[in-house]
Amino acid sequence: MKTYKIALLDGDGIGPEIMVEAVKIMKLVAERNHINFELTHTPFGASAWFQCGSSFPDATKLVCDEADAILKGPIGLSHEESKKIPVDQQPERGALLPLRRRYNTYANFRPVFLPKGLAHFSPLKPEIIGDGIDIMIIRELVGGLYFGKKETGINAAGKRYVNEMLEYDEDQIRAILKVGFETAMKRKKVLHNIHKSNVLKSSVLWNEILDEVHKDYPQVKVVQMLVDAAATYLCLNPGQFDVMVMENMFGDILSDQGGGILGSLGLMPSACIGPDKAYYEPSHGSAPDIAGKNIANPYSMIGSVAMMLEYSFGMDQEAKNLWQAMQSVFAKGFSTPDLSKPGSGVKMISTSEFGDLVASELRAMPVPN
Ligand code: NAD
């Protein structure tokens, strides 16, 4: 029997709750497809800091090194709670960025998807949504401002100062742009290049390299767009976008806006792909405001499992089945509380009920050959 080792990083806040639902689904997928998922839970994030004194303990690194894929829950604490952890050990700086660096997971795929039938979840008007929203945001994940040199101190005038560098080399830019073009080739052959070349030198270099890479993909139409304008167009005319490619921080911000136009960050899964290792995580944070209440939307976590099935294990049809199973639950009139207000005519369900309903939808589907 084929065996895949999967490291499970439950994380913080709603992480453990939505991980339970992902595990429920992975066990079903394994059973249906006669494969074995060897699942190993391992601490990561703020919970790991309190448990073992490190946000990314060595034991977790070992489990991840040996895994065929990593499934990660969101990490982080509320603003106030974060202060209990030293700045450099706080979950993003102490765990998330080191995880990305360790496996060079430079290509972050963030689907922003809402079929027409579920348009009522979106805060946008039906005439804006049209046939639905279907965008793939491709975000560079291991460069730019988040990974550049950082310096803080007192300057000559006696003032506290900070200096953070936005660094990219041409190979990093070329690598992510190739991912953008390859993805566009598989979809509508339109690539929106999101940048800020009117201000940032990094965007000027980015665009120079884009022109070079474009020569290898003449079939792809490139649309140039400044990041500030892109933020507006995501609200006013999301239908114009198919594949969007951008640097790290722009992708962080615009992809959360993607969740906003869908109706909830709970609809945002992601895949973070490196040359030898990939990890999968919801795009959102640990949602401390709703943690422990069994009301988080686990779609983002189960969607990350679907992406893992496709990108890491080549189980494309089962991944499609899983997306379909989740959509069917919503199409039957169920909703998690993030997507609907009480009294809006939907049947409100909890985190665990969503997982159970997805499992029963999937169980009813034919098993891929
Ligand atoms: P957040 O993404 O956790 O939450 C923003 C809003 O979206 C909240 O109202 C929350 O309840 C809601 N939300 C998010 N996911 C949801 C889901 N699955 N179902 C229903 N509602 C959902 O952002 P935040 O509050 O700014 O950050 C909280 C913590 O998460 C911070 O410590 C932050 O640093 C961290 N964070 C971690 C990651 C990551 O692990 N990759 C990403 C972003 C933020």
Side-chain angles (χ1 to χ4, degrees):
M1 194 189 276
K2 201 178 260 180
T3 293
Y4 295 113
K5 289 184 181 178
I6 304 174
L8 302 177
L9 280 44
D10 293 15
D12 306 317
I14 59 170
E17 297 166 55
I18 56 178
M19 183 65 88
V20 167
E21 303 316 309
V23 167
K24 200 181 271 177
I25 298 300
M26 279 189 283
K27 287 187 172 162
L28 173 60
V29 167
E31 181 195 310
R32 274 164 54 86
N33 291 274
H34 307 291
I35 55 173
N36 182 25
F37 286 144
E38 205 179 291
L39 306 174
T40 308
H41 290 269
T42 186
F44 189 73
S47 47
W49 163 260
F50 292 120
Q51 210 178 310
C52 354
S54 165
S55 304
F56 190 8
D58 288 344
T60 296
K61 288 179 186 149
L62 205 65
V63 173
C64 292
D65 286 350
E66 288 177 357
D68 296 304
I70 300 165
L71 185 67
K72 177 196 152 291
I75 55 167
L77 299 174
S78 68
H79 187 71
E80 278 310 310
E81 286 290 306
S82 295
K83 293 177 186 164
K84 294 182 180 163
I85 303 181
V87 169
D88 286 329
Q89 278 293 316
Q90 286 172 3
E92 272 88 349
R93 269 180 297 268
L96 186 60
L97 299 186
L99 174 74
R100 291 174 180 170
R101 190 183 291 118
R102 187 174 186 86
Y103 301 117
N104 187 21
T105 54
Y106 67 98
N108 184 202
F109 293 81
R110 297 192 155 186
V112 183
F113 179 68
L114 195 70
K116 190 175 183 176
L118 302 182
H120 55 282
F121 288 148
S122 171
L124 303 183
K125 295 176 192 148
E127 61 268 31
I128 301 267
I129 295 192
D131 289 334
I133 299 172
D134 186 2
I135 304 169
M136 180 61 85
I137 291 185
I138 297 184
R139 166 189 176 195
E140 199 292 325
L141 202 60
V142 294
L145 207 45
Y146 294 4
F147 284 85
K149 289 185 208 71
K150 294 168 198 305
E151 182 183 279
T152 53
I154 308 287
N155 68 14
K159 304 282 184 193
R160 285 171 293 173
Y161 80 97
V162 58
N163 186 2
E164 292 189 304
M165 284 180 76
L166 197 169
E167 291 180 325
Y168 273 114
D169 72 27
E170 61 176 300
D171 290 348
Q172 285 177 295
I173 298 173
R174 189 170 289 110
I176 191 68
L177 287 174
K178 273 189 182 172
V179 172
F181 277 104
E182 289 289 338
T183 310
M185 285 295 288
K186 290 184 201 141
R187 293 175 50 121
K188 292 185 181 163
K189 299 191 171 64
V190 178
L191 179 65
H192 278 75
N193 178 46
I194 309 302
H195 59 90
K196 186 77 184 168
S197 65
N198 51 344
V199 175
L200 296 177
K201 282 294 205 45
S202 51
S203 286
V204 173
L205 178 62
W206 178 282
N207 290 350
E208 264 173 46
I209 294 167
L210 181 122
D211 289 342
E212 293 165 19
V213 179
H214 194 184
K215 290 189 182 118
D216 295 332
Y217 302 90
Q219 308 92 321
V220 175
K221 180 182 170 210
V222 171
V223 182
Q224 301 287 359
M225 193 173 278
L226 295 173
V227 62
D228 35 354
T232 309
Y233 287 129
L234 268 174
C235 295
L236 295 183
N237 181 12
Q240 72 182 286
F241 298 111
D242 188 53
V243 180
M244 303 170 80
V245 66
M246 63 201 80
E247 66 89 49
N248 201 342
M249 189 168 75
F250 295 164
D252 190 4
I253 297 170
L254 282 195
S255 61
D256 259 35
Q257 192 178 347
I261 63 171
L262 299 184
S264 169
L265 282 171
L267 294 180
M268 289 290 294
S270 87
C272 313
I273 312 286
D276 305 314
K277 184 89 73 182
Y279 86 90
Y280 300 85
E281 64 170 352
S283 296
H284 57 73
S286 57
D289 53 333
I290 58 166
K293 296 181 179 162
N294 196 23
I295 57 171
N297 187 348
Y299 180 105
S300 54
M301 196 80 214
I302 299 174
S304 299
V305 171
M307 295 184 86
M308 179 174 73
L309 295 179
E310 182 187 344
Y311 291 48
S312 281
F313 306 143
M315 297 172 70
D316 297 21
Q317 185 52 48
E318 191 69 331
K320 281 192 190 119
N321 289 345
L322 192 44
W323 289 119
Q324 187 55 49
M326 291 202 291
Q327 308 290 339
S328 302
V329 172
F330 289 136
K332 287 184 175 167
F334 295 102
S335 173
T336 44
D338 52 323
L339 289 166
S340 310
K341 298 257 181 298
S344 54
V346 298
K347 289 166 261 178
M348 213 65 92
I349 47 172
S350 65
T351 308
S352 47
E353 285 168 332
F354 184 84
D356 290 343
L357 287 167
V358 172
S360 62
E361 289 290 335
L362 186 62
R363 219 173 266 122
M365 289 180 185
V367 179
N369 292 322

